[in-house]
Amino acid sequence: MGSNNISAEDRERLIKAARAAAKRAYAPYSQFRVGAALLTGTGEIFAGCNVENASYGLTNCAERTAVFAAIARSGPKLRIRALAVLNAKELPCAPCGACRQVIFEFGPQAIIFFPTAQGWKQAHITELLPEGFRLK
Ligand code: THU
């Protein structure tokens, strides 16, 4: 899996940024406001929130918004070291399957932090997405 240790300080920075992003969510249909924040290989943090749509399937999850924002701001060499996701209601919030695949593209060694019914969990992306798809 390779070593990718995330300090307690970086973990807290990520959770704080994700919490702030959840407040900016556009979720009038589900009322489930989600925030995500990622730490890059160069130490920057980028955040995103879910953006829903009246045509439900067009909704963009918070994690993908964070990834796309990072690339839009910093370019395609993005390396995701870690990502935290949460929702404003403090309910369990593991990343969905589509977001796992998108995170894996830029962070095959990423550590993911998310709330479960048993409290915060930390998992390697490959634990959440075994055999992630790659073209090369
Ligand atoms: N959602 C996320 O933002 N991230 C996830 O990983 C799971 C689901 C959002 C999508 C939708 O706006 C709301 O949560 C309810 O599904």
Side-chain angles (χ1 to χ4, degrees):
M1 275 190 200
S3 70
N4 180 17
N5 293 321
I6 307 303
S7 67
E9 190 190 341
D10 278 338
R11 176 184 181 274
E12 288 317 305
R13 284 169 72 206
L14 283 173
I15 291 173
K16 195 174 168 194
R19 235 178 228 125
K23 295 199 172 102
R24 301 190 288 268
Y26 176 71
Y29 305 106
S30 72
Q31 311 296 335
F32 195 77
R33 290 180 292 133
V34 184
L38 63 85
L39 176 68
T40 72
T42 54
E44 288 175 287
I45 286 185
F46 292 95
C49 57
N50 54 332
V51 181
E52 297 187 345
N53 191 273
S55 177
Y56 290 6
L58 297 180
T59 291
N60 208 64
C61 291
E63 299 93 315
R64 278 176 290 145
T65 304
V67 173
F68 301 156
I71 291 174
R73 180 64 77 97
S74 278
K77 286 186 181 157
L78 173 68
R79 184 170 74 84
I80 301 172
R81 283 190 61 209
L83 180 146
V85 58
L86 52 78
N87 68 87
K89 294 179 179 169
E90 305 285 342
L91 291 169
C93 192
C96 81
C99 289
R100 293 177 194 203
Q101 176 66 33
V102 171
I103 295 165
F104 179 73
E105 178 88 13
F106 303 99
Q109 305 295 340
I111 301 296
I112 315 297
F113 300 101
F114 57 98
T116 72
Q118 287 77 41
W120 279 91
K121 181 169 176 175
Q122 168 177 337
H124 193 277
I125 187 67
T126 59
E127 289 178 71
L128 301 179
L129 182 76
E131 308 292 341
F133 179 70
R134 279 216 174 280
L135 268 181
K136 50 182 167 99

